[in-house]
PDB file of all heavy atoms in Angstrom:
ATOM      1  N   GLN P 143      21.956  34.734  10.277  1.00  0.00           N
ATOM      2  CA  GLN P 143      22.178  33.293  10.152  1.00  0.00           C
ATOM      3  C   GLN P 143      22.441  32.864   8.714  1.00  0.00           C
ATOM      4  O   GLN P 143      23.276  32.006   8.463  1.00  0.00           O
ATOM      5  CB  GLN P 143      20.972  32.512  10.692  1.00  0.00           C
ATOM      6  CG  GLN P 143      20.675  32.738  12.147  1.00  0.00           C
ATOM      7  CD  GLN P 143      21.851  32.419  13.035  1.00  0.00           C
ATOM      8  OE1 GLN P 143      22.386  31.320  12.994  1.00  0.00           O
ATOM      9  NE2 GLN P 143      22.265  33.383  13.836  1.00  0.00           N
ATOM     10  N   VAL P 144      21.707  33.444   7.773  1.00  0.00           N
ATOM     11  CA  VAL P 144      21.819  33.000   6.383  1.00  0.00           C
ATOM     12  C   VAL P 144      22.799  33.850   5.563  1.00  0.00           C
ATOM     13  O   VAL P 144      22.983  33.600   4.377  1.00  0.00           O
ATOM     14  CB  VAL P 144      20.436  32.950   5.678  1.00  0.00           C
ATOM     15  CG1 VAL P 144      19.548  31.913   6.348  1.00  0.00           C
ATOM     16  CG2 VAL P 144      19.771  34.305   5.633  1.00  0.00           C
ATOM     17  N   ALA P 145      23.442  34.802   6.204  1.00  0.00           N
ATOM     18  CA  ALA P 145      24.338  35.711   5.485  1.00  0.00           C
ATOM     19  C   ALA P 145      25.511  34.984   4.832  1.00  0.00           C
ATOM     20  O   ALA P 145      25.959  35.376   3.748  1.00  0.00           O
ATOM     21  CB  ALA P 145      24.850  36.808   6.421  1.00  0.00           C
ATOM     22  N   GLN P 146      26.022  33.948   5.449  1.00  0.00           N
ATOM     23  CA  GLN P 146      27.219  33.276   4.942  1.00  0.00           C
ATOM     24  C   GLN P 146      26.967  31.846   4.475  1.00  0.00           C
ATOM     25  O   GLN P 146      27.905  31.058   4.359  1.00  0.00           O
ATOM     26  CB  GLN P 146      28.295  33.260   6.046  1.00  0.00           C
ATOM     27  CG  GLN P 146      28.683  34.632   6.546  1.00  0.00           C
ATOM     28  CD  GLN P 146      29.248  35.531   5.464  1.00  0.00           C
ATOM     29  OE1 GLN P 146      30.032  35.091   4.629  1.00  0.00           O
ATOM     30  NE2 GLN P 146      28.836  36.790   5.459  1.00  0.00           N
ATOM     31  N   GLN P 147      25.712  31.492   4.233  1.00  0.00           N
ATOM     32  CA  GLN P 147      25.413  30.114   3.829  1.00  0.00           C
ATOM     33  C   GLN P 147      24.252  30.085   2.856  1.00  0.00           C
ATOM     34  O   GLN P 147      23.492  31.032   2.757  1.00  0.00           O
ATOM     35  CB  GLN P 147      25.117  29.262   5.063  1.00  0.00           C
ATOM     36  CG  GLN P 147      23.978  29.793   5.910  1.00  0.00           C
ATOM     37  CD  GLN P 147      23.964  29.204   7.305  1.00  0.00           C
ATOM     38  OE1 GLN P 147      24.999  28.940   7.888  1.00  0.00           O
ATOM     39  NE2 GLN P 147      22.776  28.983   7.847  1.00  0.00           N
ATOM     40  N   THR P 148      24.137  28.991   2.156  1.00  0.00           N
ATOM     41  CA  THR P 148      23.106  28.846   1.139  1.00  0.00           C
ATOM     42  C   THR P 148      21.738  28.568   1.735  1.00  0.00           C
ATOM     43  O   THR P 148      20.742  29.143   1.316  1.00  0.00           O
ATOM     44  CB  THR P 148      23.483  27.688   0.179  1.00  0.00           C
ATOM     45  OG1 THR P 148      24.794  27.928  -0.326  1.00  0.00           O
ATOM     46  CG2 THR P 148      22.501  27.580  -0.978  1.00  0.00           C
ATOM     47  N   TRP P 149      21.682  27.670   2.711  1.00  0.00           N
ATOM     48  CA  TRP P 149      20.416  27.237   3.284  1.00  0.00           C
ATOM     49  C   TRP P 149      20.374  27.552   4.776  1.00  0.00           C
ATOM     50  O   TRP P 149      21.335  28.087   5.323  1.00  0.00           O
ATOM     51  CB  TRP P 149      20.176  25.752   2.996  1.00  0.00           C
ATOM     52  CG  TRP P 149      20.153  25.474   1.527  1.00  0.00           C
ATOM     53  CD1 TRP P 149      21.103  24.802   0.795  1.00  0.00           C
ATOM     54  CD2 TRP P 149      19.169  25.907   0.574  1.00  0.00           C
ATOM     55  NE1 TRP P 149      20.753  24.792  -0.530  1.00  0.00           N
ATOM     56  CE2 TRP P 149      19.567  25.462  -0.698  1.00  0.00           C
ATOM     57  CE3 TRP P 149      17.980  26.624   0.683  1.00  0.00           C
ATOM     58  CZ2 TRP P 149      18.835  25.704  -1.845  1.00  0.00           C
ATOM     59  CZ3 TRP P 149      17.239  26.872  -0.468  1.00  0.00           C
ATOM     60  CH2 TRP P 149      17.664  26.408  -1.716  1.00  0.00           C
ATOM     61  N   ALA P 150      19.311  27.196   5.448  1.00  0.00           N
ATOM     62  CA  ALA P 150      19.092  27.600   6.844  1.00  0.00           C
ATOM     63  C   ALA P 150      20.197  27.159   7.786  1.00  0.00           C
ATOM     64  O   ALA P 150      20.525  27.867   8.743  1.00  0.00           O
ATOM     65  CB  ALA P 150      17.751  27.072   7.338  1.00  0.00           C
ATOM     66  N   THR P 151      20.775  25.989   7.524  1.00  0.00           N
ATOM     67  CA  THR P 151      21.800  25.483   8.443  1.00  0.00           C
ATOM     68  C   THR P 151      23.141  25.234   7.767  1.00  0.00           C
ATOM     69  O   THR P 151      24.013  24.604   8.346  1.00  0.00           O
ATOM     70  CB  THR P 151      21.334  24.177   9.135  1.00  0.00           C
ATOM     71  OG1 THR P 151      21.098  23.179   8.146  1.00  0.00           O
ATOM     72  CG2 THR P 151      20.088  24.414   9.968  1.00  0.00           C
ATOM     73  N   GLY P 152      23.317  25.703   6.556  1.00  0.00           N
ATOM     74  CA  GLY P 152      24.598  25.499   5.878  1.00  0.00           C
ATOM     75  C   GLY P 152      24.431  25.297   4.392  1.00  0.00           C
ATOM     76  O   GLY P 152      23.588  25.929   3.751  1.00  0.00           O
ATOM     77  N   SER P 153      25.200  24.370   3.846  1.00  0.00           N
ATOM     78  CA  SER P 153      25.202  24.164   2.396  1.00  0.00           C
ATOM     79  C   SER P 153      24.191  23.123   1.933  1.00  0.00           C
ATOM     80  O   SER P 153      23.968  22.970   0.736  1.00  0.00           O
ATOM     81  CB  SER P 153      26.607  23.749   1.935  1.00  0.00           C
ATOM     82  OG  SER P 153      26.996  22.555   2.583  1.00  0.00           O
ATOM     83  N   ASP P 154      23.561  22.403   2.856  1.00  0.00           N
ATOM     84  CA  ASP P 154      22.610  21.354   2.497  1.00  0.00           C
ATOM     85  C   ASP P 154      21.175  21.779   2.771  1.00  0.00           C
ATOM     86  O   ASP P 154      20.877  22.390   3.810  1.00  0.00           O
ATOM     87  CB  ASP P 154      22.901  20.061   3.275  1.00  0.00           C
ATOM     88  CG  ASP P 154      24.242  19.460   2.911  1.00  0.00           C
ATOM     89  OD1 ASP P 154      24.645  19.562   1.732  1.00  0.00           O
ATOM     90  OD2 ASP P 154      24.894  18.889   3.807  1.00  0.00           O
ATOM     91  N   PHE P 155      20.278  21.416   1.875  1.00  0.00           N
ATOM     92  CA  PHE P 155      18.843  21.628   2.040  1.00  0.00           C
ATOM     93  C   PHE P 155      18.342  20.603   3.052  1.00  0.00           C
ATOM     94  O   PHE P 155      18.601  19.412   2.912  1.00  0.00           O
ATOM     95  CB  PHE P 155      18.151  21.443   0.691  1.00  0.00           C
ATOM     96  CG  PHE P 155      16.699  21.823   0.678  1.00  0.00           C
ATOM     97  CD1 PHE P 155      16.323  23.123   0.409  1.00  0.00           C
ATOM     98  CD2 PHE P 155      15.720  20.872   0.933  1.00  0.00           C
ATOM     99  CE1 PHE P 155      14.969  23.486   0.389  1.00  0.00           C
ATOM    100  CE2 PHE P 155      14.376  21.217   0.909  1.00  0.00           C
ATOM    101  CZ  PHE P 155      14.000  22.539   0.644  1.00  0.00           C
ATOM    102  N   THR P 156      17.625  21.052   4.092  1.00  0.00           N
ATOM    103  CA  THR P 156      17.220  20.165   5.182  1.00  0.00           C
ATOM    104  C   THR P 156      15.767  20.402   5.591  1.00  0.00           C
ATOM    105  O   THR P 156      15.067  21.247   5.030  1.00  0.00           O
ATOM    106  CB  THR P 156      18.108  20.401   6.429  1.00  0.00           C
ATOM    107  OG1 THR P 156      17.825  21.712   6.940  1.00  0.00           O
ATOM    108  CG2 THR P 156      19.590  20.244   6.124  1.00  0.00           C
ATOM    109  N   LEU P 157      15.362  19.682   6.629  1.00  0.00           N
ATOM    110  CA  LEU P 157      14.054  19.877   7.254  1.00  0.00           C
ATOM    111  C   LEU P 157      13.833  21.349   7.591  1.00  0.00           C
ATOM    112  O   LEU P 157      12.724  21.863   7.450  1.00  0.00           O
ATOM    113  CB  LEU P 157      13.957  19.019   8.523  1.00  0.00           C
ATOM    114  CG  LEU P 157      12.826  19.330   9.504  1.00  0.00           C
ATOM    115  CD1 LEU P 157      11.466  19.076   8.876  1.00  0.00           C
ATOM    116  CD2 LEU P 157      12.996  18.535  10.784  1.00  0.00           C
ATOM    117  N   ALA P 158      14.879  22.037   8.029  1.00  0.00           N
ATOM    118  CA  ALA P 158      14.752  23.455   8.382  1.00  0.00           C
ATOM    119  C   ALA P 158      14.265  24.273   7.187  1.00  0.00           C
ATOM    120  O   ALA P 158      13.433  25.175   7.333  1.00  0.00           O
ATOM    121  CB  ALA P 158      16.088  23.993   8.889  1.00  0.00           C
ATOM    122  N   ASP P 159      14.753  23.955   6.007  1.00  0.00           N
ATOM    123  CA  ASP P 159      14.334  24.680   4.797  1.00  0.00           C
ATOM    124  C   ASP P 159      12.913  24.298   4.388  1.00  0.00           C
ATOM    125  O   ASP P 159      12.164  25.136   3.881  1.00  0.00           O
ATOM    126  CB  ASP P 159      15.326  24.415   3.669  1.00  0.00           C
ATOM    127  CG  ASP P 159      16.736  24.800   4.078  1.00  0.00           C
ATOM    128  OD1 ASP P 159      16.978  25.995   4.311  1.00  0.00           O
ATOM    129  OD2 ASP P 159      17.574  23.888   4.198  1.00  0.00           O
TER     130      ASP P 159
END
Side-chain angles (χ1 to χ4, degrees):
Q143 299 303 305
V144 296
Q146 302 300 318
Q147 57 197 35
T148 306
W149 301 109
T151 61
S153 59
D154 295 325
F155 188 88
T156 67
L157 165 64
D159 303 295

